């Protein structure tokens, strides 16, 4: 289901022309999942804007870019409905007292921290929250992809949410 058919190395010094060429090479290979590492928020925004211009649609983007949820143009763009694909997972600051409700888990940070403590006996850390978020997003992406082939992963996702 997921095609990883190449690696393109870009960084903050990469020109827009070279970034466009790198994305076009991945698009030509049929890549449908992108893992983006080490770019700034501006760099990540450049990638998403070029993807839109190239009509480069993917199933998912995974990024390690940390951004401020409130002020990032990129975040505003993502939450307002833009995305050349079905799922995006990126790094954000996490604290058990953040009031934001997760769009995929439908839990607040406090609810997750409480559930984690009840089920494991340990205090939740950002690493635990990150792993949980990854599992939720991957299970939903798989469910969406596999449902188109007649499979149903709802029970799998529900089990992950219980653990």
């Amino acid at each position: 289901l997921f095609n990883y058919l190449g690696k393109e190395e870009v960084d903050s010094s990469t020109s827009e022309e070279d970034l466009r060429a790198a994305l076009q090479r991945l698009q030509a290979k049929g890549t449908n999942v992108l893992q983006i590492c080490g770019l700034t928020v501006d760099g990540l925004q450049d990638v998403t804007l070029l993807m839109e211009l190239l009509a480069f649609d993917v199933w998912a983007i995974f990024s390690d870019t940390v951004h401020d949820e409130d002020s990032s143009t990129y975040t505003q763009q993502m939450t307002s409905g833009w995305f050349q694909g079905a799922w995006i997972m990126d790094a954000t600051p996490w604290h058990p007292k953040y009031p934001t409700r997760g769009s995929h888990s439908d839990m607040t940070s406090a609810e997750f921290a409480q559930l984690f403590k009840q089920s494991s006996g340990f205090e939740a850390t950002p690493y635990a929250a990150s792993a949980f978020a990854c599992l939720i997003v991957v299970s939903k992406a798989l469910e969406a992809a596999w449902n188109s082939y007649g499979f149903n992963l709802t029970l799998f996702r529900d089990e992950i949410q219980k653990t």
Side-chain angles (χ1 to χ4, degrees), residues 134-157:
C134 286
L135 288 172
I136 292 295
V137 171
V138 168
S139 70
K140 285 192 171 211
L142 286 171
E143 180 178 20
W146 288 7
N147 274 342
S148 65
Y149 295 102
F151 295 100
N152 188 332
L153 293 180
T154 302
L155 294 175
F156 173 71
R157 186 186 69 234

Side-chain angles (χ1 to χ4, degrees), residues 41-136:
V41 173
D42 290 340
L44 186 58
Q45 186 171 341
D46 290 345
V47 168
T48 58
L49 289 173
L50 283 171
M51 288 177 68
E52 187 171 5
L53 290 172
L54 295 169
F56 183 9
D57 300 334
V58 296
W59 284 347
I61 293 177
F62 296 94
S63 168
D64 68 352
T65 304
V66 176
H67 54 88
D68 179 350
E69 290 186 36
D70 297 328
S71 64
S72 167
T73 302
Y74 161 80
T75 302
Q76 292 169 4
Q77 186 181 31
M78 293 301 116
T79 58
S80 68
W82 179 94
F83 180 53
Q84 295 298 114
W87 307 99
I88 188 152
M89 180 71 188
D90 56 14
T92 56
W94 183 85
H95 189 278
K97 294 187 180 185
Y98 284 171
T100 305
R101 184 166 295 280
S103 59
H104 300 303
S105 69
D106 195 35
M107 297 172 69
T108 66
S109 295
E111 290 168 345
F112 169 75
Q114 180 181 12
L115 181 64
F116 188 85
K117 175 81 172 179
Q118 287 172 347
S119 63
S120 71
F122 298 101
E123 297 296 327
T125 66
Y127 301 109
S130 176
F132 176 74
C134 286
L135 288 172
I136 292 295

Side-chain angles (χ1 to χ4, degrees), residues 8-22:
E8 296 290 335
E9 293 190 23
V10 298
D11 60 33
S12 59
S13 66
T14 302
S15 69
E16 183 178 326
E17 183 179 314
D18 289 341
L19 181 57
R20 178 187 297 259

